Amino acid sequence: MKNFIISYALTLNILVVANTSFANSPSSFNSAKKLMYQKIYYDNQKTFYCGCDYSNRKVDLNSCGYQVRKNKPRASRTEAEHIVPAYWLAQLTPLGRSCWLEGTKRKGTNGRKYCLKTNKTFKQAYNDLMNLVPSIGEVNGDRSNYQFGLVSGEIRNYGACDIEINISGARNLRKVEPAPSVRGDIARIYFYMFKKYGLNLSMQTKKLMNAWHQLDPIDDWESVRLKRIEIIQGK
C-alpha cells in the first residue's frame, strides 16, 4: 500500500505531489460517473462532505441528520462533484481560459461545452476520477464554483452536515469551508490536479492546502480510493 500512496515533498511550506499521475481519464463524463459509483465507491456509499448513506444515488438524509436548505429534489440524490470545479479547471490554465472565453461568445454553447469539445487537456481533467466525489446534489449546487477557505462564524444551513457555504455578498468573497475530516482529501486532490494539469494556484491556496494536508493525513479509505483509480486510469 505504501508503495502506491502519493509521496510528498515540503518545500517553502508548499505541498508538491511528487509521484502519482494517473495516465488516462475516462473518455466521457458519463463514463466517469458510472466508474466512480460502480468501481470506486461501491462498498463505501457515503456522500463526501456530509457522510450520508446513499443507495442507487438516493440519499438517506436521516442517516446523517441532513436538513434540506431549499432544493429537496437535489438534496435527495447524489451527484458527481468536481472538487476543482470546471470553471477553475479552465480559469487556472492559460489554454483553458482561452477556450472558455471563446465558448461564452459562441451561440448554442458555453465555456464548459466548448472546452470539452475543443480542448483535450481540459476534457481529461474534467473526467479525471481523482477529481470526482459523490456529493449531495443540493450541496453541490450551493457550492457552485466557489473556492475552499475558512468561513467566519458557524453558517450551518444543512443540519448536522458540517459544511459552511457563504453564498451571500460579493461573489469573489464566497467561500466553502468543509469538515476537518475531508480537508486533507481535498488538499491532496488539489495538488494532484496542480501537478498533472498545471493549474496556476495562488500562494494563499497552496498554503491553505498544505495546512489541510498536514492536519488531516491520508487514511485507509483514501488509500483504497487511490488504488482503485490507479486500476482504472493507470499510471
Side-chain angles (χ1 to χ4, degrees):
M1 182 178 294
K2 290 183 179 180
N3 292 332
F4 172 71
I5 294 175
I6 298 175
S7 63
Y8 299 93
L10 288 172
T11 305
L12 299 177
N13 295 320
I14 299 173
L15 177 67
V16 179
V17 179
N19 286 340
T20 298
S21 184
F22 302 121
N24 300 305
S25 301
S27 59
S28 71
F29 186 55
N30 282 336
S31 295
K33 288 190 293 185
K34 289 179 181 179
L35 288 166
M36 183 193 76
Y37 286 114
Q38 297 175 6
K39 299 296 183 180
I40 299 175
Y41 287 90
Y42 62 90
D43 59 352
N44 188 37
Q45 297 188 46
K46 292 184 177 294
T47 62
F48 182 73
Y49 298 111
C50 304
C52 302
D53 296 335
Y54 69 86
S55 179
N56 295 321
R57 306 186 190 183
K58 300 296 183 182
V59 181
D60 180 359
L61 300 178
N62 292 327
S63 68
C64 57
Y66 185 93
Q67 293 181 9
V68 177
R69 184 186 73 84
K70 185 178 181 180
N71 192 327
K72 187 173 182 180
R74 288 190 75 175
S76 301
R77 67 173 188 255
T78 61
E79 296 176 0
E81 177 172 343
H82 292 88
I83 292 296
V84 181
Y87 176 81
W88 291 110
L89 290 176
Q91 298 304 311
L92 296 176
T93 59
L95 185 60
R97 285 197 297 273
S98 176
C99 73
W100 194 276
L101 180 60
E102 181 65 25
T104 63
K105 297 177 180 178
R106 291 174 175 257
K107 293 183 179 180
T109 188
N110 57 33
R112 181 195 308 249
K113 292 178 181 178
Y114 191 74
C115 283
L116 285 170
K117 183 177 179 180
T118 63
N119 188 325
K120 291 182 180 180
T121 301
F122 177 89
K123 183 178 180 180
Q124 184 174 17
Y126 189 81
N127 296 336
D128 198 314
L129 290 169
M130 185 67 171
N131 194 36
L132 295 178
V133 297
S135 174
I136 291 178
E138 182 179 46
V139 173
N140 184 25
D142 286 352
R143 189 250 166 140
S144 184
N145 58 21
Y146 307 154
Q147 298 189 69
F148 291 107
L150 300 179
V151 177
S152 59
E154 287 291 315
I155 304 173
R156 294 295 178 88
N157 291 320
Y158 310 98
C161 179
D162 185 6
I163 186 169
E164 299 164 36
I165 304 177
N166 181 10
I167 58 178
S168 61
R171 189 170 183 83
N172 64 335
L173 297 177
R174 298 176 189 177
K175 299 287 184 181
V176 179
E177 182 179 334
S181 60
V182 298
R183 291 178 187 175
D185 306 59
I186 290 168
R188 287 179 282 275
I189 291 170
Y190 256 75
F191 280 102
Y192 166 88
M193 301 297 285
F194 160 76
K195 177 180 183 292
K196 182 164 184 179
Y197 300 106
L199 302 188
N200 185 24
L201 302 181
S202 68
M203 182 62 70
Q204 181 180 6
T205 298
K206 290 177 181 177
K207 287 182 177 179
L208 176 68
M209 294 302 167
N210 180 39
W212 284 5
H213 159 66
Q214 294 183 73
L215 291 170
D216 176 31
I218 192 168
D219 58 20
D220 290 342
W221 161 245
E222 191 177 352
S223 298
V224 169
R225 176 180 182 269
L226 291 171
K227 282 188 174 182
R228 291 175 180 177
I229 294 174
E230 180 190 21
I231 291 171
I232 297 168
Q233 296 190 176
K235 284 184 68 177

